[in-house]
Amino acid sequence: MTYCVAMSLEKGLVFAADSRTNAGVDQIATFRKLHKFMMDGERAIVILSAGNLATTQSVISLLNMRLNSDQPNLFGARSMYEVATIVGSTCREVIRRDSGQSQGNVDFGSSFIVGGQIHGERHRLFQIYPEGNFIESTPDTPYFQIGEIKYGKPILDRVVDYQLPLKDAAKCALISLDSTIRSNLSVGLPLDVLIYDTDSYSLANHHDVTDQDAHFHALGEAWSQGLREAFAQLPDVEW
C-alpha cells in the first residue's frame, strides 16, 4: 500500500508521496512513487504511482524506454491530455500482458496521477485508473489521491481550494501524509514532495523528507497539539 496526493492550483502544482511498499508485516521495502520527466524550457511532467509494484515499475520502465522511439511517448506528446492517454494505454498494455501469464489470483491493478505542463498550454492534472481511463482536475476539484486515501482526506477537504498558495498546499499535503502514517503502518517515510510553479518548466523544487527531518516532525506535532486544543474548547453536549 502507499499514499500519494497531488493538487492543481492557480499558481501551479504540488505532488507528495510516501515510499513504503509491503507484502506482509515481514516484507517491507522502500520504493519511490514519484517519477519525473523533463525537457528544459519545454515540458515538465510528474507521475505518481500506487498499486501492484510490478505493474507500476513496468509502466514507468516502458515510458522511459520509449522516450526517444517512434512510438507515442512523453517527450513527443503535444499536450498533457496526450500524456495521460499514453500513460493509460501503457498501463493497460502491462496489465494485459502480465494477467495473461498469471496462474493465480493476483491483482495487477495500478493507479497513477499525472501532472505537469507542456509549452503552449496551462498546467494540468489527471488521475488514471487501472483500466487506463482518466479524469482531469478542475478548480472545483483541485486535488487527487491514490492508494490509502481515507486518513489524509479530511484536511484536504477542509483546507484545499484552487486559490491556495503553493507553500500552504505543500504544508497541507505533509499533514495529510502525517495523518495517514499515524493511522496506517503500510504508509511510511521517506516522502517525496515536489512543488511546481506554473510556466517554470522546472522540477528542481523537489524535497526528500526522511525520519530525520525536524521540520516534518514539528509540523506533525503542531497539528496534533492544535487538534487537542481545539477539541478541549468544544462545548459540552447536554444529553
Side-chain angles (χ1 to χ4, degrees):
M1 186 56 72
T2 191
Y3 175 46
C4 305
V5 59
M7 308 174 200
S8 179
L9 308 170
E10 185 176 27
K11 301 298 184 180
L13 300 159
V14 172
F15 303 87
D18 86 313
S19 59
R20 178 166 292 182
T21 298
N22 71 295
V25 295
D26 58 349
Q27 297 185 46
I28 297 175
T30 297
F31 290 93
R32 297 291 182 173
K33 313 296 175 57
L34 188 150
H35 315 276
K36 301 186 291 185
F37 301 83
M38 189 179 73
M39 297 176 67
D40 287 338
E42 200 278 327
R43 67 186 61 206
I45 300 167
V46 176
I47 300 177
L48 304 180
S49 60
N52 183 287
L53 183 61
T55 299
T56 59
Q57 286 193 340
S58 289
V59 169
I60 298 300
S61 293
L62 283 174
L63 293 173
N64 275 300
M65 289 169 55
R66 294 170 178 174
L67 286 178
N68 298 306
S69 71
D70 294 332
Q71 294 178 272
N73 64 80
L74 302 188
F75 285 173
R78 294 166 294 181
S79 68
M80 285 301 301
Y81 180 91
E82 191 171 334
V83 167
T85 301
I86 291 168
V87 175
S89 63
T90 306
C91 182
R92 283 196 302 270
E93 175 188 346
V94 170
I95 292 176
R96 184 168 56 247
R97 180 199 68 193
D98 291 352
S99 62
Q101 300 173 354
S102 175
Q103 301 297 315
N105 185 22
V106 179
D107 181 5
F108 292 94
S110 296
S111 301
F112 299 87
I113 296 175
V114 179
Q117 186 176 17
I118 293 176
H119 188 74
E121 67 172 10
R122 61 182 175 82
H123 62 269
R124 303 171 73 177
L125 186 71
F126 298 85
Q127 179 172 344
I128 301 174
Y129 298 104
E131 295 78 13
N133 56 335
F134 53 84
I135 57 174
E136 182 174 4
S137 70
T138 69
D140 293 327
T141 309
Y143 76 85
F144 288 136
Q145 301 169 280
I146 54 176
E148 183 54 84
I149 67 174
K150 56 183 177 291
Y151 300 107
K153 192 174 189 297
I155 184 176
L156 301 176
D157 288 337
R158 292 179 181 273
V159 174
V160 177
D161 61 51
Y162 187 65
Q163 286 76 37
L164 188 68
L166 294 180
K167 286 187 177 181
D168 288 345
K171 183 164 56 176
C172 184
L174 285 171
I175 292 297
S176 181
L177 276 155
D178 176 73
S179 299
T180 305
I181 290 170
R182 287 171 181 261
S183 298
N184 192 315
L185 292 176
S186 70
V187 178
L189 296 162
L191 311 177
D192 281 300
V193 180
L194 190 149
I195 302 172
Y196 174 77
D197 291 283
T198 191
D199 296 330
S200 68
Y201 303 102
S202 170
L203 301 177
N205 196 359
H206 179 189
H207 303 275
D208 182 24
V209 180
T210 71
D211 58 0
Q212 304 300 315
D213 193 303
H215 296 293
F216 176 69
H217 289 297
L219 190 66
E221 183 53 38
W223 175 250
S224 297
Q225 182 62 30
L227 288 177
R228 287 191 289 267
E229 292 174 358
F231 180 80
Q233 296 173 13
L234 292 175
D236 293 335
V237 177
E238 300 298 338
W239 296 105

